Amino acid sequence: MFNPAEPVFFWHPDYVPAMGKHHPVIDPARLTEVGRFANTTQKEMDAVLDAAIDAQRDWKRLDAKSRATILHRIANRIEATDMRRCAELMSREMGKPYPEAIGEVANCAGAFRYFAEMARDEAGKVAGTTQAGSFQYARYEPLGISVHIMPFNFPILLMCWTVAASLAAGNGCIIKPAPATTLSTLEFMQVFEPLPPALLACLPGGTELGEALIASPKTHAVAFTGSVAAGKAVAMAAAGQMKPAVIEAGGSDPMIITANAPLDVAAAGAVTAAFHMSGQVCTSAERFFVVESVHDIFVEKFAAQAKRLRIGNGLSKAEIGPLVSEAARNKVIRLVEDAKASGATVVIGGKIPESEPVGWFYEPTILTGCTPDMAIMQEECFGPVAAIMKVKDFDEAIESANDSEFGLGASVFTTSLEEAMEAADRLESGMVWVNNPLIDNDALPFGGWKKSGLGRELSRLGLDAFRRSKMVIIDHKPEIQGWWYPYPDEWFYESEGRKHA
């Protein structure tokens, strides 16, 4: 049981806080209970934060090389640990197909290695001096304790992106996992054993815990991934405390199929971009804009590829698992039915699969005849639905893709270099993929424009999100400066016998 006097640096799956209300985790494929966790109480949270603050004081004093060495040990642990139990828990908690779950948890080491070396290589800037004999530079320092509020869809990978950056910058970290993926997150915490005790903690809980962590004067920065509505609330709460926040708030990404698209490749890529993890990916392609000269043949090839997908629970041989909850599926049903009522045609899918009567499953769905006024073209669906709109040409495709309050990512399929370059220049999104959607890179910034978020994860920008700058001026030869008080009389302005400062 929890002893406030001896807070632990991570919460092990077998560990249950003494006072928090127990919360069941339900398998969305079978609707059976996977396990339980206890919500963190205010008293437990405060004790963990106090311990993290003490640990962070020592952590920030470590030289960059020593911190980097420890982060590399974490990467080694990730690579050496048998992640099958963690992946199985994730599949059972939120329905992700097992190959995707094991791939996620086994491939997080790169972020720790990247940020370990980035922080070691670059910790400030020496500026050209404005005054002879003066050494003028900027140095970067940690913020303190960062709060990481995680989503259910990539609970481990996205946590590692921001935690690796924050630790590399010299901070302590408090992780609040999504309730739907708390068990797998707790299981993963064992990889952080190389860290000093109490520097990192994983606190289970819901919205109230997240709000308390942001409001606490013991925390100093926030990283959040989730819906636009929740992202706005987090951003406002953080701003109210004058805390920097990195917000990744999802989107409704467009995919453009131009007249010059390699249609076989585009159809295969579209299946992954639209239906990967049942469409529950922030960068899923949801809105398709297909040039009319290739529209019919693309739809035919797209549907043929989509029909090959298998539906089933995450631990079976299936690409399409359940949606995370009944509410998530109800939203998908609402958007599809609204589109149908407004004139859209269902090419495939559009219903609950007969083969999976239990669980929150929905068939991969392709809609044609969609128009900009339909709700499915305006809202984030976050389900296995591709809404296709026929457009006249490339220019109309770009304009239609940009006609959205979202701006996370955008994809284009084309063999025209001109179109590829034009798309990269004109699309209003934080990321653009040409002929290969959904790719990320530790060394490149991940994040969106418009309502899709604030700040960036990964790259140098992802590191800067968790550190602050300090300007330093050192005159190594102290001497009285000519511009110091008092001013010489001749510096003052004289007019009509009067002196004016």
Side-chain angles (χ1 to χ4, degrees):
M1 289 299 179
F2 181 77
N3 182 350
E6 298 177 359
V8 294
F9 79 98
F10 67 87
W11 302 88
H12 190 273
D14 295 332
Y15 168 82
V16 180
M19 296 170 282
K21 180 180 178 181
H22 285 210
H23 184 92
V25 176
I26 304 299
D27 182 340
R30 299 184 176 97
L31 304 188
T32 56
E33 186 173 304
V34 178
R36 289 175 174 259
F37 64 85
N39 289 323
T40 305
T41 67
Q42 181 74 39
K43 185 176 181 180
E44 292 166 342
M45 183 194 81
D46 286 337
V48 168
L49 288 177
D50 287 340
I53 289 170
D54 289 341
Q56 192 267 336
R57 290 193 185 102
D58 294 331
W59 178 248
K60 72 178 181 180
R61 294 191 192 101
L62 274 183
D63 60 277
K65 182 179 179 181
S66 296
R67 284 208 299 261
T69 297
I70 293 174
L71 294 186
H72 281 299
R73 288 174 184 162
I74 293 173
N76 293 341
R77 283 288 297 266
I78 293 172
E79 292 169 346
T81 299
D82 183 348
M83 292 291 180
R84 286 177 293 183
R85 172 174 165 78
C86 183
E88 179 183 345
L89 278 170
M90 191 188 304
S91 292
R92 294 182 63 200
E93 283 181 298
M94 54 77 64
K96 177 180 293 192
Y98 180 81
E100 296 169 21
I102 193 69
E104 175 180 345
V105 296
N107 289 287
C108 295
F112 287 93
R113 298 201 191 282
Y114 174 81
F115 284 115
E117 295 307 312
M118 172 63 75
R120 193 163 73 95
D121 180 69
E122 197 277 311
K125 173 187 177 182
V126 177
T129 184
T130 61
Q131 193 168 299
S134 179
F135 179 44
Q136 303 176 354
Y137 68 100
R139 57 183 291 168
Y140 298 120
E141 298 187 0
L143 294 163
I145 303 297
S146 56
V147 176
H148 304 257
I149 301 175
M150 294 292 99
F152 72 85
N153 57 348
F154 292 96
I156 305 301
L157 180 65
L158 298 187
M159 178 264 289
C160 287
W161 284 4
T162 56
V163 165
S166 186
L167 289 172
N171 300 293
C173 298
I174 304 298
I175 300 160
K176 194 207 81 64
T181 46
T182 295
L183 301 182
S184 55
T185 305
L186 290 171
E187 176 70 16
F188 186 82
M189 290 298 105
Q190 62 184 294
V191 305
F192 294 112
E193 192 272 337
L195 288 173
L199 184 65
L200 180 143
C202 180
L203 304 186
T207 301
E208 290 184 0
L209 175 62
E211 292 172 346
L213 286 167
I214 296 171
S216 173
K218 300 173 184 178
T219 66
H220 310 96
V222 181
F224 169 86
T225 300
S227 68
V228 171
K232 287 181 179 179
V234 169
M236 291 174 65
Q241 302 293 325
M242 295 295 285
K243 296 176 183 179
V246 178
I247 307 293
E248 200 268 87
S252 180
D253 282 8
M255 175 177 282
I256 294 173
I257 309 297
T258 80
N260 298 300
L263 295 181
D264 289 332
V265 176
V271 166
T272 296
F275 304 133
H276 182 65
M277 217 173 72
S278 299
Q280 297 173 117
V281 181
C282 296
T283 51
S284 288
E286 297 191 358
R287 298 177 296 130
F288 285 70
F289 302 98
V290 184
V291 173
E292 59 185 358
S293 62
V294 298
H295 176 275
D296 292 350
I297 184 76
F298 170 75
V299 171
E300 179 182 341
K301 290 177 179 291
F302 186 17
Q305 289 285 350
K307 288 176 182 177
R308 299 172 59 196
L309 302 180
R310 296 160 291 187
I311 302 173
N313 74 73
L315 299 178
S316 65
K317 292 181 178 179
E319 291 82 19
I320 304 298
L323 294 169
V324 72
S325 67
E326 182 179 19
R329 187 174 71 176
N330 285 344
K331 180 180 181 181
V332 172
I333 293 172
R334 171 178 65 81
L335 291 173
V336 171
E337 293 305 312
D338 174 81
K340 289 164 58 179
S342 299
T345 299
V346 176
V347 178
I348 64 166
K351 65 184 189 299
I352 297 170
E354 296 178 1
S355 62
E356 298 292 341
V358 177
W360 312 125
F361 292 91
Y362 196 80
E363 291 186 355
T365 299
I366 299 175
L367 303 175
T368 57
C370 295
T371 55
D373 57 308
M374 293 179 181
I376 201 163
M377 301 295 280
Q378 299 173 356
E379 300 181 31
E380 182 179 32
C381 179
F382 224 59
V385 181
I388 300 177
M389 175 176 156
K390 184 187 295 185
V391 295
K392 180 179 63 176
D393 54 24
F394 177 77
D395 286 333
E396 184 181 352
I398 294 288
E399 292 172 5
S400 299
N402 288 340
D403 184 21
S404 173
E405 64 181 11
F406 301 106
L408 187 56
S411 299
V412 179
F413 276 93
T414 182
T415 56
S416 164
L417 179 60
E418 179 181 348
E419 288 178 340
M421 299 299 288
E422 281 283 309
D425 182 55
R426 294 168 59 186
L427 284 167
E428 297 172 355
S429 62
M431 296 169 286
V432 175
W433 297 279
V434 178
N435 297 330
N436 193 0
L438 306 185
I439 296 299
D440 56 65
N441 182 330
D442 291 340
L444 295 175
F446 185 100
W449 291 12
K450 303 179 184 178
K451 291 185 179 179
S452 287
L454 299 169
R456 290 294 181 267
E457 299 170 0
L458 301 180
S459 79
R460 156 73 185 275
L461 298 180
L463 180 63
D464 287 347
F466 296 100
R467 57 187 188 176
R468 51 192 167 188
S469 64
K470 177 185 288 182
M471 185 183 76
V472 180
I473 308 292
I474 300 175
D475 275 23
H476 58 282
K477 292 183 178 180
E479 61 183 14
I480 296 174
Q481 302 295 321
W483 59 271
W484 292 357
Y485 279 5
Y487 294 144
D489 287 347
E490 59 267 25
W491 283 19
F492 290 87
Y493 174 70
E494 293 187 35
S495 177
E496 298 178 358
R498 292 178 298 175
K499 292 184 178 181
H500 302 275

